[in-house]
Amino acid sequence: MAERLEEALLERLREDPAAPCIWWKGSWWSREDLSRLVRSCESTLARSGFGEGMRLAAPLPNSPLLTALSIACWRLGGAIAPLNLKAGIQGMQRTLGMLDVHSAVVPAEKPELASALAPLNLPWTAASAEGPLGDFTGRGGAPDGADTAVVFSTSGTTGLPKAVPISHGNLLDNTSAVTRHIPYLNPGGVLLNALPNFHTLGFSVAGVLPLLCSMGQAILPTFIPAEAALEAIRQAGVTGIVAVPTMISLLLGAVGRGGARPESLSFIISGGDRLNPQLDRRARDLLGAGLLEGYGLTECSPVVSVNPDYERRKLGTVGTVLDSYQVQVRGPEGQVLPPGQDGVLWVKGPSVTSGYFRDPANSEGRFVDGWFDTGDVVRLDDEGFVTVLERATDILIVGGFNVYPQEVERVLQEHPAVHTAAVAGEPNPLTGEIVKAFVILQEGASVTPKELVDFCKERLAHFKVPRKVRFVTELPLSSTGKVQRRALRDLEA
């Protein structure tokens, strides 16, 4: 296996230069079309002073330019830093200050982003989604090693920004392990690339992986409206989708409103957040493919586990661990627990980053002797299937008992009237906290709070049953579709 991404990717692009590579706005780019844009970007970046160990900020939508820029950065020994276009000016300034980048490339249609860069005296250039890249001069930035390929920014549990440097080896290992694990990632297939590229799942699995395994990819700059995404899936002949549950729900809604079912689709991988099991039946009925749920973290490049195929999958689990990992489930004192017991998941392997970017304080305790503390409470069954119970920081303590919100949410979502549910803790002078549920109902459905509480009483231990139910029309979501429990708590406060 090649040791660097650009070596492996350019080798694939040279194998059959005329082969379709990227579907973009109704037509296919060949591998040579992409290679030509890579060469153009590389030349412009080199003239700007970009070189080994430097980082290029890229607050860009999914596009051929982002793909080409990434490969060009790697050719020059540097790294790409995808950023969230919707993070807001202050959020982007904090992140850019932390990353110490050489320069930034902003979308030509959003020149106002330059206002976020002005206080930082950060050089920038604007470009269209198809390129070319305009000439500019960067500032360098203190270089790091040439092994870093991508730097992802995340707020973590404190709300403060931190950065995760992912190496060439991390990404190559993870994409290779995913390809071995899932039998549907074959040459000639077409993967949907519509997840945000500043999220590791979107950048790596939806963007880099199809290039490495000679699949085509249909790039969408945005998933909204879902009707347009559905039509793109049909036109491009997409065979596989990698998505978060929110995107899957939007697609189901588009088909339910009369959109054409995509006949080419054969598999759907869901990650990034908990999955409502009811979505699987609807996906099979309306999209023609069931769901393979997986689990990962930015620090793991990102995939840790996924249901391998439709014959062996276990709904409600996030599948089995990729073969390049060692895993341990540890108890409160750090002791390794046997299968079937709940504990915090620790992982080790070549997909795991070595620590946070220039942040030894946050790295300490999370990265220990090659092991990474995911912070997630899980249960492994005797066949190796993983059930994620909850983030350790989101555990509710009710009368001294641990309550995992995801377990309660899963039960609530089994009720036929419930579309989506999220659970948070509410302070209580007697028990410390009580469980409160926020519920979105299915369209046209009706149920009372008491009926949902009684439903849970039949299926959960008494301390896990919601004591309050609030009906809402939407839940606070992050830019990657995850429920923000902190925002739920703040709402109630």
Side-chain angles (χ1 to χ4, degrees):
M1 183 173 69
E3 294 183 355
R4 291 185 57 86
L5 283 161
E6 78 276 8
E7 295 172 2
L9 292 174
L10 292 174
E11 182 180 329
R12 296 291 182 278
L13 295 178
R14 285 192 292 263
E15 285 174 355
D16 186 357
C21 178
I22 288 173
W23 185 92
W24 172 253
K25 294 188 175 180
S27 61
W28 281 97
W29 285 41
S30 70
R31 294 176 181 176
E32 176 53 31
D33 292 331
L34 178 58
S35 298
R36 191 178 301 113
L37 184 55
V38 169
R39 293 192 292 270
S40 172
C41 288
E42 181 184 353
S43 177
T44 304
L45 285 176
R47 290 195 301 272
S48 79
F50 186 85
E52 184 171 313
M54 297 179 186
R55 291 154 302 286
L56 179 73
L60 297 169
N62 296 338
S63 60
L65 177 67
L66 180 79
T67 303
L69 268 179
S70 301
I71 301 174
C73 285
W74 301 332
R75 288 268 296 168
L76 294 168
I80 189 98
L83 298 180
N84 183 0
L85 272 168
K86 300 179 181 178
I89 298 298
Q90 290 186 343
M92 193 170 291
Q93 287 175 343
R94 285 195 300 269
T95 300
L96 287 168
M98 170 184 63
L99 293 176
D100 184 25
V101 296
H102 163 273
S103 54
V105 178
V106 302
E109 68 273 16
K110 291 185 179 292
E112 66 273 14
L113 283 178
S115 63
L117 313 180
L120 302 173
N121 296 315
L122 180 65
W124 60 276
T125 186
S128 74
E130 298 87 5
L133 194 61
D135 278 313
F136 68 104
T137 300
R139 67 180 185 186
D144 288 303
D147 189 46
T148 300
V150 194
V151 183
F152 293 103
S153 303
T154 174
S155 61
T157 55
T158 65
L160 298 174
K162 61 183 178 182
V164 184
I166 301 297
S167 71
H168 289 261
N170 293 152
L171 280 176
L172 285 166
D173 176 77
N174 199 250
T175 51
S176 296
V178 170
T179 305
R180 291 193 300 270
H181 197 82
I182 299 173
Y184 312 119
L185 300 169
N186 299 314
V190 179
L191 210 58
L192 181 69
N193 182 354
L195 281 163
N197 58 64
F198 58 84
H199 188 278
T200 334
L201 185 63
F203 188 96
S204 175
V205 179
V208 172
L209 185 147
L211 292 173
L212 285 171
C213 63
S214 299
M215 295 181 73
Q217 60 182 284
I219 299 182
L220 301 186
T222 176
F223 195 74
I224 304 297
E227 285 77 8
L230 186 66
E231 178 60 18
I233 290 168
R234 188 190 66 77
Q235 286 188 24
V238 167
T239 57
I241 292 176
V242 181
V244 295
T246 303
M247 294 166 62
I248 297 167
S249 291
L250 290 171
L251 278 180
L252 292 172
V255 176
R257 290 188 294 272
R261 171 173 161 163
E263 298 299 328
S264 58
L265 195 61
S266 61
F267 69 95
I268 303 173
I269 298 170
S270 174
D273 199 9
R274 72 198 190 289
L275 179 70
N276 183 343
Q278 292 188 40
L279 281 182
D280 179 70
R281 177 184 55 78
R282 296 186 64 216
R284 285 186 281 115
D285 291 344
L286 297 178
L287 298 175
L291 306 178
L292 298 172
E293 188 176 2
Y295 158 76
L297 304 97
T298 302
E299 294 89 343
C300 297
S301 308
V303 183
V304 173
S305 66
V306 65
N307 278 277
D309 54 48
Y310 291 110
E311 290 71 32
R312 292 176 290 168
R313 69 173 180 162
K314 290 186 180 181
L315 285 174
T317 79
V318 292
T320 51
V321 176
L322 303 186
D323 61 17
S324 65
Y325 285 105
Q326 300 175 55
V327 298
Q328 293 179 349
V329 178
R330 300 187 186 181
E333 307 302 321
Q335 74 277 24
V336 179
L337 301 175
Q341 291 196 25
D342 305 347
V344 175
L345 180 67
W346 287 69
V347 297
K348 184 178 185 179
S351 288
V352 182
T353 185
S354 58
Y356 297 114
F357 179 73
R358 299 179 184 175
D359 192 353
N362 268 319
S363 300
E364 186 177 359
R366 297 293 301 277
F367 299 89
V368 181
D369 298 328
W371 289 90
F372 171 63
D373 175 7
T374 70
D376 293 333
V377 178
V378 305
R379 181 183 302 146
L380 268 69
D381 68 16
D382 54 5
E383 293 182 291
F385 282 78
V386 181
T387 299
V388 178
L389 298 170
E390 197 48 68
R391 287 286 305 177
T393 51
D394 284 333
I395 290 176
L396 281 61
I397 310 296
V398 179
F401 294 98
N402 289 350
V403 177
Y404 305 120
Q406 191 163 4
E407 183 179 8
V408 182
E409 291 161 358
R410 188 178 296 121
V411 169
L412 283 165
Q413 289 171 165
E414 290 172 357
H415 193 285
V418 174
H419 179 273
T420 308
V423 165
E426 179 175 299
N428 181 274
L430 183 62
T431 61
E433 288 182 296
I434 60 171
V435 180
K436 181 162 185 178
F438 298 79
V439 174
I440 299 174
L441 295 178
Q442 299 280 10
E443 188 174 349
S446 176
V447 67
T448 67
K450 183 180 184 303
E451 288 172 334
L452 287 180
V453 170
D454 290 342
F455 183 82
C456 290
K457 283 181 177 178
E458 296 173 1
R459 294 162 174 80
L460 290 170
H462 68 92
F463 59 90
K464 298 179 181 179
V465 174
R467 301 304 167 186
K468 294 184 179 180
V469 176
R470 175 174 172 180
F471 295 113
V472 295
T473 56
E474 61 182 8
L475 296 170
L477 302 177
S478 71
S479 55
T480 54
K482 291 185 179 181
V483 174
Q484 296 179 308
R485 299 191 199 284
R486 192 163 56 239
L488 285 177
R489 299 186 189 105
D490 293 344
L491 176 68
E492 287 311 289

